[in-house]
Amino acid sequence: MKRFLAAMLAGVLATGVAAEERVLTVASSNPFSFPQALQAGPGGDLQVNGAVSLPHGASVNAPVGAVLFVHGAGGPQRFHQDWRAVFRAAGFATAHANHFTPRGGGSAVGDHIDLTGAAMATDALNILSALAALPEIDADKIVIAGTSKGGGVALYTAWAPLVRAISGETQFAAHLAIYPTCMHWDVANHTGAPIRVIVGTQDDWTGHDQCVAAMAHLAGQGVPATTLSLQGAAHGFDSRRPLHKVTQAFDVRACRFSMDVEGVEYANAQPMNAPKAKRAALGTCVKRGAHYGGDTGATKIARDHVRALLATIAAR
């Protein structure tokens, strides 16, 4: 692991366009499924390019926590910058990457085959290793946050077997999942870091009740997982767009997603460990069309909640 990190970090950082922003280049891989991710381990032959931004005052002598922000199925959006600004204002560095770029394409909305959660989670844990090695970053205070599909990645990266396989003993300090697709683990085997899900009660894309049930199932197995419900808010409540219907979106509220002890994902008990199988499984429960749009009141509540969570991490 040490030799891998040394090679990976040899050319990791280059000065970006702003004094406090740096380019981050990380070696990763492209597994379709979590069993493949477990086999692949750290690094790989895929180059993922992202960026790290340090808050004012961060230095080798005054290292800070960091938040890795993961985009959703629609790729990076302008309003994601708003979240990163919130994190930096709280005294945390931020990191992000475009997970489509090394794999081709620019959106997985309505088709989650070419860019899977397993691939994005693998990227995230490889980025975690790179961030933890930076002298300006406190490796014990790195948080992962994401919206929609990226929120799912925030949940996946709390699964201990995946963490051990890719980032070893380095783990995220907290997992912040904003309107994610939520997963039931048949047997919880998690790192113990707190998990926070934030979702609107009117989310007809990934679903509100599904996340409440999934987090309650984890909490019942001793995982510190909770849900913040935002009354009346839809998917994308933190965006800058008015509420509208996205016709190609997957409404997955009729799907019960789960993962077994080997990392195989299921939709309503149908395995999704290969492209054909995943399409068939989703075909049993997915409908087309869901709503998306901003809600300033819900966004304020969510940001206040996130600031409070980050304050607890910073105070450790």
Side-chain angles (χ1 to χ4, degrees), residues 110-312:
D111 182 9
H112 293 262
I113 300 298
D114 293 334
L115 179 63
T116 66
M120 294 176 71
T122 298
D123 289 354
L125 289 167
N126 281 313
I127 293 171
L128 169 64
S129 295
L131 288 173
L134 297 179
E136 301 95 338
I137 301 299
D138 186 334
D140 294 325
K141 298 179 181 179
I142 303 176
V143 175
I144 184 169
T147 56
S148 198
K149 191 179 184 75
V153 173
L155 298 178
Y156 293 137
T157 52
W159 188 47
L162 184 68
V163 175
R164 288 194 296 267
I166 298 174
S167 58
E169 296 181 0
T170 305
Q171 65 180 56
F172 287 108
H175 302 258
L176 177 60
I178 304 168
Y179 46 88
T181 299
C182 288
M183 175 76 62
H184 292 258
W185 273 267
D186 291 348
V187 178
N189 185 1
H190 286 54
T191 63
I195 297 172
R196 300 289 182 267
V197 168
I198 303 178
V199 62
T201 58
Q202 297 303 307
D203 193 317
D204 60 1
W205 194 317
T206 52
H208 168 267
D209 295 348
Q210 291 72 14
C211 279
V212 171
M215 293 306 103
H217 183 247
L218 276 180
Q221 299 183 71
V223 178
T226 59
T227 304
L228 173 65
S229 299
L230 301 176
Q231 294 299 316
H235 203 77
F237 64 79
D238 52 345
S239 74
R240 304 174 183 179
R241 302 190 64 184
L243 186 66
H244 64 287
K245 189 168 185 177
V246 181
T247 56
Q248 75 269 30
F250 278 174
D251 173 353
V252 300
R253 289 176 296 168
C255 303
R256 183 186 187 276
F257 294 110
S258 62
M259 183 184 290
D260 67 18
V261 294
E262 303 296 330
V264 176
E265 295 177 276
Y266 299 83
N268 290 0
Q270 300 297 310
M272 300 191 294
N273 57 335
K276 184 176 180 180
K278 186 171 185 176
R279 288 191 175 98
L282 292 175
T284 67
C285 56
V286 163
K287 294 193 300 183
R288 290 282 184 178
H291 291 83
Y292 184 98
D295 182 319
T296 55
T299 298
K300 183 182 184 305
I301 294 170
R303 289 180 180 171
D304 288 345
H305 182 84
V306 170
R307 290 185 185 101
L309 173 62
L310 292 180
T312 64

Side-chain angles (χ1 to χ4, degrees), residues 15-43:
T15 302
V17 294
E20 295 182 340
E21 183 173 273
R22 304 173 181 179
V23 173
L24 182 71
T25 300
V26 173
S28 191
S29 58
N30 193 32
F32 182 85
S33 66
F34 286 100
Q36 290 175 352
L38 294 175
Q39 255 188 340

